Amino acid sequence: MEGENGKKMKILCLHGFRTSGSFLKKQISKWDPSLFSKFDMDFLDGKYPAGGKSDIEGIFPPPYFEWFQFNKEFTEYTNLEECISYLCEYITANGPFDGFLGFSQGATLSALLIGYQAQGKLLKEHPPIKLFVSISGCKFRDPSICDVAYKEPIKAKSVHFIGDKDWLKLPSEELASAFQNPLIIRHPQGHTVPRLDEMATSQLQNWVEEVLSHRKVGISEYDKKLESEVNKSDAKVLEACNGVAQA
């Protein structure tokens, strides 16, 4: 499905802590390639080089990145505002984006941006983010952030992958509850981008089809509105021409 400008719907993909955009791309490649074949997927690297050991050392080559830093309780954050500014600048310069896909820290950050935009805190000139794929994401725990980002149910169409053995299982469920009518896909694995069985693949495929169908309706409405505006403009030109002819 293509957007109003004839291009595929564009998805910004944010990786997990101390990994990279290239690694997230490899993780997602475990899924049926047809799932996101109708989207333009942009895998971005974090703003900051990894400040410590990465869990994927020896598994995937460096460099590794992180979006921001945090304390053990995940209640205090360093460089978060700088990271948000970095992402907003990137989104504005390279968008518009229709949605986000994120793993762990990337999913947590994506949900924050969507919630902030819905409350008019940022990306005011950017079209509303319409869809979100969350894998092992969670909410921020600072009340000053929560009171804004999750103030109201977030309306972006969302799907949340939650692992039975994930140490972020409960926080992931809490994040899903911040969205309006979220689809939750559970898997038996831990804190990872899971391999999808036939049922999970079917659930995600149906969700994608709903997104594309909704987008098609939106484009149709956009075309009708554009046609109406053109007809009004043509009528005004014709009226002006008739006025000149009668003068």
Side-chain angles (χ1 to χ4, degrees):
M1 177 56 58
E2 297 180 343
E4 294 95 339
N5 57 2
K7 295 182 179 180
K8 293 181 177 181
M9 294 180 73
K10 199 166 186 178
I11 310 298
L12 182 61
C13 306
L14 306 185
H15 61 78
F17 188 59
R18 293 180 181 169
T19 63
S20 65
S22 296
F23 182 65
L24 178 58
K25 186 174 183 178
K26 180 182 179 182
Q27 290 177 294
I28 296 299
S29 71
K30 294 186 288 188
W31 295 356
D32 184 333
S34 69
L35 287 169
F36 293 115
S37 63
K38 296 178 181 178
F39 298 91
D40 179 5
M41 313 288 280
D42 186 349
F43 294 85
L44 183 64
D45 286 329
K47 178 174 173 58
Y48 300 98
K53 182 177 176 60
S54 169
D55 289 341
I56 64 172
E57 287 182 18
I59 300 174
F60 192 85
Y64 312 124
F65 304 89
E66 55 197 49
W67 297 103
F68 58 92
Q69 300 78 42
F70 48 90
N71 65 353
K72 185 177 180 181
E73 293 75 25
F74 202 63
T75 55
E76 297 178 4
Y77 319 102
T78 304
N79 293 319
L80 177 59
E81 292 302 321
E82 290 81 356
C83 173
I84 290 173
S85 295
Y86 166 72
L87 283 170
C88 287
E89 290 173 4
Y90 184 87
I91 291 168
T92 300
N94 297 276
F97 287 91
D98 295 278
F100 296 145
L101 178 151
F103 171 67
S104 193
Q105 189 182 49
T108 300
L109 189 56
S110 296
L112 176 67
L113 293 177
I114 299 173
Y116 270 178
Q117 187 195 37
Q119 295 301 322
K121 187 176 175 66
L122 46 72
L123 295 173
K124 298 177 182 179
E125 303 301 320
H126 187 282
I129 298 299
K130 305 175 186 67
L131 61 101
F132 175 43
V133 179
S134 174
I135 309 160
S136 298
C138 69
K139 286 183 176 181
F140 282 85
R141 296 179 182 173
D142 181 338
S144 67
I145 293 176
C146 296
D147 290 347
V148 178
Y150 322 119
K151 180 180 179 181
E152 299 172 347
I154 301 172
K155 296 180 179 179
K157 192 171 181 63
S158 67
V159 56
H160 304 256
F161 289 88
I162 301 176
D164 292 338
K165 298 178 182 178
D166 190 348
W167 58 277
L168 280 181
K169 177 182 177 181
L170 292 180
S172 293
E173 292 173 344
E174 291 175 359
L175 178 62
S177 70
F179 285 77
Q180 183 172 292
N181 300 320
L183 169 63
I184 296 177
I185 299 180
R186 298 186 183 276
H187 61 86
Q189 301 162 57
H191 193 69
T192 184
V193 175
R195 293 186 180 278
L196 303 183
D197 60 20
E198 185 175 343
M199 180 178 292
T201 298
S202 177
Q203 285 180 289
L204 183 56
Q205 183 65 61
N206 289 338
W207 183 86
V208 168
E209 290 302 326
E210 287 180 11
V211 168
L212 297 177
S213 176
H214 180 76
R215 181 63 166 173
K216 185 176 182 179
V217 171
I219 292 173
S220 177
E221 292 175 350
Y222 172 85
D223 288 341
K224 289 179 181 178
K225 181 179 179 181
L226 183 61
E227 182 180 3
S228 175
E229 291 176 350
V230 169
N231 289 339
K232 289 179 182 178
S233 177
D234 288 345
K236 289 181 179 179
V237 170
L238 182 60
E239 183 180 350
C241 289
N242 288 337
V244 171
Q246 295 171 4

